[in-house]
Amino acid sequence: MSGTSPPTPRDHITMVDHDYSDCSEDVSLIGADREHRRSSTPDGLYQHKINRHYNPLYIAVVASLTFLITDIAGQIIVAPRLAIFEHIICKAYYTQVSGAAGTGMGDCKVEPVQSELALINGWREMFDNIPGTSYTLAWLICLHSHRSFYTLWSRRRSVWA
């Protein structure tokens, strides 16, 4: 064994040798101190802006487009799902009405088929709303435990009174 020390760790972004002796809980990992060290590297591999300023209009447009695309993707599936459910319910209804030998399907807009479809859609909507409702209830419980809810409402009453 030649007595050489193991190689020092290399940063995965800049691939330069790094001195980790100044790492502590008080030193910012993303702040200007680290940026100064990166920009002073001899090869200058990683140049990063210290302060980024984004236009609020740009952020609002990107967020709105993201919400719009997500909402459209969620609503596109509704019409085919209704048609599939209606076909299944209609087939089951006419099989039950005409017996096991019934091969023909009649009008799927009859009241028993549509009422069963409405019942299924109502249950589906209820189960789709459970995560949002439980999330809201969890926040209300958290606010109630910290008395922020009462503070908020007492301030609001004094403003409106």
Side-chain angles (χ1 to χ4, degrees):
M1 200 153 200
S2 63
T4 59
S5 64
T8 58
R10 297 172 68 92
D11 187 61
H12 70 281
I13 296 174
T14 60
M15 295 306 291
V16 296
D17 291 330
H18 227 356
D19 179 23
Y20 291 103
S21 63
D22 64 342
C23 290
S24 71
E25 291 179 0
D26 299 330
V27 177
S28 173
L29 297 175
I30 304 176
D33 178 46
R34 204 164 166 93
E35 293 301 323
H36 175 69
R37 275 187 289 163
R38 283 196 180 147
S39 62
S40 64
T41 57
D43 50 2
L45 285 174
Y46 185 72
Q47 298 296 327
H48 182 70
K49 287 183 178 179
I50 294 174
N51 293 324
R52 288 187 178 169
H53 298 287
Y54 293 106
N55 185 0
L57 179 65
Y58 173 76
I59 293 172
V61 168
V62 170
S64 298
L65 286 175
T66 303
F67 292 142
L68 177 71
I69 291 169
T70 306
D71 193 39
I72 288 173
Q75 294 299 320
I76 285 177
I77 197 170
V78 171
R81 183 188 305 146
L82 283 177
I84 292 169
F85 285 167
E86 187 178 51
H87 179 72
I88 292 169
I89 294 168
C90 188
K91 186 175 179 182
Y93 173 73
Y94 282 110
T95 302
Q96 181 184 18
V97 168
S98 63
T103 58
M105 280 184 31
D107 184 24
C108 290
K109 301 299 180 190
V110 294
E111 192 272 331
V113 172
Q114 292 300 311
S115 64
E116 183 72 21
L117 183 64
L119 180 69
I120 289 174
N121 281 329
W123 281 105
R124 186 187 52 79
E125 287 289 327
M126 185 194 74
F127 286 122
D128 284 348
N129 288 324
I130 286 176
T133 305
S134 61
Y135 185 73
T136 303
L137 288 175
W139 271 106
L140 284 175
I141 290 169
C142 180
L143 287 174
H144 177 70
S145 66
H146 293 291
R147 301 285 182 187
S148 300
F149 185 75
Y150 293 121
T151 306
L152 174 71
W153 283 105
S154 65
R155 287 182 188 160
R156 183 170 284 182
R157 275 192 231 128
S158 66
V159 170
W160 296 107

